[in-house]
Amino acid sequence: MLELYDSTGNVIAANDNWRETQKHDFIETGRFQALQPASGLESALAISLPPGAYVLAISGKNSTTGIGLAEVYAESPGAGRGFSYVSARGVLSSSVLISGITVSGDANTNYIVRALGPSLTESGITNALADPVLEIYDGNGGLIASNDDWVADADQARQIMAAGFAPKDPLESAISLRLAPGTYTVVTRGKNDATGTAFIDISSTP
């Protein structure tokens, strides 16, 4: 199930089974046919949003549990469109927290990617991941960057601080990098297979 919230915490859109309310955009007009979920029990929303901050929550119907995948796409990104910041929060047990970056167009783009854990306790999260490790892979599965403690690399730390994205805890992870057009995978795991709640955020920078 999907719920979309605005910056004031109000639900502005929701969906359970996508075929029940979203057939127009995903089937009938063919507008988003390429993004059509494979199962009728999966959820999808096609919506036009003004600039601002939004939260997308994914949950299991009737409080069921399991692994879910949330994807967000901007239609025809251009000047003044698209995303400058995307984040995800999840619980790491025996698995990892995975996110992704797709760089479109023909120009390289600067990003800062962070994996937060200890500082989440300030928001009342009691099972925060004590020491997150961050890895970034290219479309072929090759590891192109990794980080354990963001302060360990002085040059990286300077770039991250200059951009205003310094994590609050030295055990948290962050990477500043320039990516060519393509698809990338961001993986967060607990050091020494530790478990807990982690937070990934991805920011495009000048």
Side-chain angles (χ1 to χ4, degrees), residues 42-98:
E42 294 176 322
S43 303
L45 288 169
I47 187 170
S48 179
L49 296 172
Y54 300 88
V55 173
L56 181 66
I58 179 172
S59 60
K61 189 172 185 176
N62 299 323
S63 301
T64 54
T65 60
I67 295 175
L69 173 68
E71 299 176 318
V72 183
Y73 296 88
E75 183 185 19
S76 301
R81 292 188 173 187
F83 306 103
S84 59
Y85 174 85
V86 178
S87 64
R89 191 184 84 187
V91 178
L92 282 72
S93 53
S94 58
S95 57
V96 297
L97 184 60
I98 299 174

Side-chain angles (χ1 to χ4, degrees), residues 15-20 37-43:
N15 180 255
D16 179 5
N17 302 326
W18 71 274
R19 288 180 180 272
E20 295 177 2
S39 171
L41 294 177
E42 294 176 322
S43 303

Side-chain angles (χ1 to χ4, degrees), residues 9-31:
N10 293 317
V11 177
I12 58 175
N15 180 255
D16 179 5
N17 302 326
W18 71 274
R19 288 180 180 272
E20 295 177 2
T21 60
Q22 300 292 307
K23 287 176 63 177
H24 178 75
D25 285 314
F26 288 90
I27 296 179
E28 293 171 2
T29 66
R31 183 182 176 197

Side-chain angles (χ1 to χ4, degrees), residues 1-196:
M1 299 178 65
L2 287 178
E3 292 181 318
L4 183 64
Y5 297 81
D6 63 17
S7 59
T8 65
N10 293 317
V11 177
I12 58 175
N15 180 255
D16 179 5
N17 302 326
W18 71 274
R19 288 180 180 272
E20 295 177 2
T21 60
Q22 300 292 307
K23 287 176 63 177
H24 178 75
D25 285 314
F26 288 90
I27 296 179
E28 293 171 2
T29 66
R31 183 182 176 197
F32 299 121
Q33 191 168 10
L35 302 176
Q36 184 183 120
S39 171
L41 294 177
E42 294 176 322
S43 303
L45 288 169
I47 187 170
S48 179
L49 296 172
Y54 300 88
V55 173
L56 181 66
I58 179 172
S59 60
K61 189 172 185 176
N62 299 323
S63 301
T64 54
T65 60
I67 295 175
L69 173 68
E71 299 176 318
V72 183
Y73 296 88
E75 183 185 19
S76 301
R81 292 188 173 187
F83 306 103
S84 59
Y85 174 85
V86 178
S87 64
R89 191 184 84 187
V91 178
L92 282 72
S93 53
S94 58
S95 57
V96 297
L97 184 60
I98 299 174
S99 186
I101 304 171
T102 299
V103 182
S104 58
D106 54 10
N108 293 356
T109 305
N110 296 319
Y111 289 92
I112 291 179
V113 184
R114 307 190 304 174
L116 310 181
S119 63
L120 299 181
T121 57
E122 297 179 6
S123 301
I125 295 175
T126 57
N127 66 331
L129 187 65
D131 191 351
V133 177
L134 182 62
E135 299 168 343
I136 301 177
Y137 296 84
D138 63 19
N140 296 316
L143 179 66
I144 60 172
S146 64
N147 179 257
D148 181 2
D149 304 332
W150 74 276
V151 295
D153 185 316
D155 182 58
Q156 280 276 298
R158 280 193 296 270
Q159 295 180 46
I160 293 163
M161 287 188 290
F165 290 100
K168 294 181 179 180
D169 193 287
L171 292 178
E172 294 176 321
S173 302
I175 296 172
S176 175
L177 75 171
R178 187 170 177 82
L179 296 175
T183 301
Y184 303 85
T185 301
V186 179
V187 175
T188 295
R189 65 181 79 249
K191 190 172 184 178
N192 299 322
D193 297 322
T195 60

